[in-house]
Amino acid sequence: MTASKLALLLSAIAAAATAAPAQEPSFEASRFRSHVEFLASDLMEGRDAGSRGFDLAASYVATRFLALGLAPAGADGSWYQTVPFVEARPAAPARVRVGEQSFDPARQVAIGASTLAPTQELTAPAVFVGYGLDAPGAGFNDYQGLDVRGKYVVVLSGFPKGTPSEIGAHLSSMKAKAAEARGALGIITVRTPSEDKRRPFERLVDWAKDPAIAWVGPDGAPYSLAPGIRIAATFDRAPAEALFAGARRPLADVLAEAEKEGGRPRGFPLTQTVSIARESTMRRFTSPNVLAVLPGSDPALKDEYVLLMAHLDHEAVEPTREGDQIYNGAMDNASGVATMLEVARAMAESGERPKRSILFAAVTAEEDGLLGAEYLAKHPVTGAGKVVGVVNLDMPVLLYDFTDVIAFGANHSTLGEAVRRAGAQMNIALSPDPLPQEGLFTRSDHYKFVREGVPSVFLMTGFANGGEKQFTDFLANHYHKVSDETKLPFDWSAGAKFAKINYLIAREIANAPAAPAWNADSFFNPANSGAKKRP
């Protein structure tokens, strides 16, 4: 071949390559499986935040980001946003008195350690405030006419029957903040009969023995949503009845009203003084969020970021357990991280960068209270840009060929339509929340961004095509158990399929003409709820 012919051939090849459209990336079961098998292996030792196993898993994610050619989004050009934590454990049994009676914290009172101070004590009057919900614009005004300054507030667990679960779960999570805003110094929860049926009190007492963990701000102080609340405890029936001794209504009447549909017992002062004291020991440690970014291609939109997030941590090792001691967390949440990594690969290999930037985050300490995500939400890594929408990936149950997905929060913002359009490309339906009683919209990492005013969805596999049985069986028999490992009958093709739909969802959001927006009538719309507005 002559030099001139070779030059013409190379020119033609180059022209063809330039003219060729971006290739639609492939999604393969084997690639998805490889991520899960590694992240859920015994080598990771349960991926507990702050542990060697978690750091190994974080290194794996960072090297995958590097191999894909993504840009590091952590501090000083690294892949990591180091999160400082404080861990507190009970140093001695708490002391609890109601009036002249003492109660046993090992059986009758659930009270954990404090991350705020090694020693705390509060003796004060108490005021019953119903469910303790404080959102007058949404019809919840439980503090009306009550003076709780310097006192304990006594609240019923949960929220009134008939309240939409997402709204009720959100307001329940804000009870301590509401009490602090009204001047209270302590909060005591009394469980309703429905809550007693759902979860035995003994389990709460056991959970209270676990360490309490908080992230630490730049000022060195542990973060608390309500730092003015010195003591928080949950009372079993005997101390709860003592609280209401001599009050204008007996506890039995209050609980009976709470069990009715729409029942909202009104508050009133109690006659008993409450005294609680506790001591805690503390240690400090760090654990990183792993962050990467694919810069957007549109100069006008590249400072708007779509966050694709999955928590990397799980439940560690239980040395005193007989037999298998490692909580591998294959479904929860190696499968979510594998989904994120496969979406990142597809984005990087597609040859066509999205208009908005994509921020990928494998976050720490979800199992400790959504802490890594909260730190990221309050310490942005986007510089002059901002996160405009979140797609959270947490425990897709990949035991069957799903034909629908659930996007918790889809009914609150335009992200719901983005999920619907992406699903239509794969003939996958968007289904409503099948477990409203669980309040799942507020129980995963995206919720910390919702609190900051950012529209968010939480993606899971749906209940169609046999999914309900598989999903509920997993929750009952494997969730947060050592059996959540790759020995389960994973449908790895379903994993690849889940990665593909999330790739399409992320591209849909990133290339849309307008950024995600809250629906006008959504409770979580900052214009309606008074939630923190985005800058």
Side-chain angles (χ1 to χ4, degrees):
M1 182 180 293
T2 65
S4 59
K5 288 182 178 179
L6 178 60
L8 287 172
L9 178 60
L10 292 174
S11 177
I13 293 172
T18 302
Q23 295 296 310
E24 190 68 21
S26 63
F27 293 85
E28 298 175 5
S30 59
R31 277 196 296 240
F32 187 94
R33 180 176 184 171
S34 67
H35 299 310
V36 177
E37 291 277 9
F38 183 83
L39 293 171
S41 68
D42 286 354
L43 180 66
M44 301 299 105
E45 300 171 343
R47 306 190 308 275
D48 189 24
S51 71
R52 179 185 66 171
F54 181 91
D55 290 344
L56 286 171
S59 180
Y60 176 83
V61 173
T63 57
R64 296 312 307 149
F65 286 158
L66 174 64
L68 294 172
L70 302 178
D76 302 319
S78 78
W79 301 104
Y80 305 114
Q81 180 186 47
T82 299
V83 184
F85 292 102
V86 61
E87 176 190 87
R89 294 177 181 270
R95 300 181 297 280
V96 180
R97 290 182 64 84
V98 179
E100 298 302 316
Q101 298 184 67
S102 295
F103 293 94
D104 183 0
R107 296 185 302 107
Q108 298 170 303
V109 179
I111 178 170
S114 169
T115 59
L116 297 177
T119 301
Q120 291 178 309
E121 184 171 359
L122 177 62
T123 299
V127 179
F128 174 59
V129 294
Y131 283 97
L133 307 183
D134 193 15
F140 299 93
N141 196 9
D142 289 350
Y143 285 85
Q144 186 174 17
L146 299 173
D147 180 8
V148 301
R149 288 172 294 180
K151 303 173 184 178
Y152 283 96
V153 296
V154 177
V155 304
L156 296 173
S157 61
F159 46 87
K161 290 186 175 182
T163 304
S165 63
E166 293 173 351
I167 296 173
H170 167 73
L171 291 175
S172 290
S173 74
M174 303 295 286
K175 287 182 181 182
K177 184 68 174 176
E180 179 192 54
R182 297 286 182 161
L185 297 179
I187 183 169
I188 297 168
T189 300
V190 173
R191 304 205 313 163
T192 63
S194 293
E195 182 66 16
D196 282 334
K197 292 176 183 177
R198 193 169 76 93
R199 181 181 292 121
F201 189 79
E202 292 78 10
R203 189 176 301 174
L204 292 189
V205 173
D206 286 341
W207 287 345
K209 299 173 186 175
D210 292 340
I213 299 176
W215 55 265
V216 177
D219 60 355
Y223 175 79
S224 171
L225 181 65
I229 298 297
R230 298 181 197 169
I231 298 286
T234 300
F235 281 9
D236 200 4
R237 192 64 73 237
E241 289 176 346
L243 276 173
F244 282 77
R248 71 174 63 166
R249 291 183 70 186
L251 177 61
D253 284 359
V254 170
L255 295 180
E257 182 181 352
E259 286 300 287
K260 298 176 181 178
E261 187 74 10
R264 298 188 186 186
R266 293 183 62 82
F268 48 84
L270 301 174
T271 63
Q272 304 298 317
T273 296
V274 179
S275 180
I276 302 177
R278 64 178 170 182
E279 298 176 12
S280 308
T281 58
M282 300 180 186
R283 76 174 182 96
R284 300 210 172 198
F285 67 97
T286 63
S287 185
N289 293 327
V290 191
L291 308 172
V293 66
L294 179 65
S297 61
D298 189 329
L301 298 177
K302 64 181 179 63
D303 284 339
E304 295 182 355
Y305 289 76
V306 178
L307 171 60
L308 204 71
M309 176 171 56
H311 76 87
L312 184 58
D313 65 307
H314 193 55
E315 291 285 325
V317 178
E318 188 177 351
T320 60
R321 190 179 188 279
E322 293 186 7
D324 189 357
Q325 299 176 340
I326 300 176
Y327 290 78
N328 300 87
M331 212 75 73
D332 183 18
N333 186 38
S335 62
V337 177
T339 302
M340 183 193 65
L341 290 174
E342 280 301 283
V343 174
R345 178 194 58 78
M347 289 281 187
E349 293 178 358
S350 70
E352 184 179 352
R353 281 189 296 140
K355 294 179 180 179
R356 291 181 178 83
S357 298
I358 309 291
L359 177 62
F360 299 97
V363 295
T364 187
E366 188 269 355
E367 303 290 3
D368 300 307
L370 320 182
L371 300 181
E374 185 172 56
Y375 191 87
L376 178 60
K378 291 187 175 292
H379 300 83
V381 296
T382 53
K386 62 181 180 180
V387 172
V388 297
V390 177
V391 179
N392 184 33
L393 307 165
D394 189 357
M395 203 179 78
V397 175
L398 302 172
L399 300 171
Y400 58 102
D401 182 17
F402 66 93
T403 58
D404 66 328
V405 292
I406 304 155
F408 299 98
N411 56 318
H412 289 288
S413 76
T414 56
L415 289 175
E417 283 306 309
V419 175
R420 197 181 309 277
R421 287 193 295 269
Q425 298 180 53
M426 296 177 62
N427 198 30
I428 294 175
L430 173 61
S431 295
D433 181 356
L435 299 168
Q437 72 278 8
E438 296 291 336
L440 292 174
F441 184 60
T442 64
R443 287 174 51 188
S444 193
D445 285 319
H446 63 282
Y447 176 57
K448 297 301 184 179
F449 284 84
V450 171
R451 280 188 175 178
E452 299 298 315
V454 183
S456 305
V457 288
F458 164 26
L459 267 293
M460 294 177 66
T461 46
F463 272 23
N465 198 36
E468 180 175 5
K469 182 180 184 304
Q470 295 282 6
F471 204 107
T472 55
D473 178 76
F474 177 84
L475 288 180
N477 298 309
H478 305 293
Y479 173 64
H480 281 195
K481 293 181 172 64
V482 295
S483 57
D484 179 11
E485 54 187 353
T486 54
K487 292 178 183 177
L488 290 173
F490 269 81
D491 184 333
W492 298 111
S493 294
K497 184 177 180 179
F498 192 70
K500 182 175 182 179
I501 189 172
N502 279 283
Y503 163 77
L504 295 174
I505 291 167
R507 288 203 74 96
E508 178 78 24
I509 300 167
N511 289 328
W518 293 104
N519 294 338
D521 61 351
S522 170
F523 172 84
F524 295 99
N525 186 331
N528 298 331
S529 67
K532 182 174 180 178
K533 289 180 169 57
R534 283 182 288 169

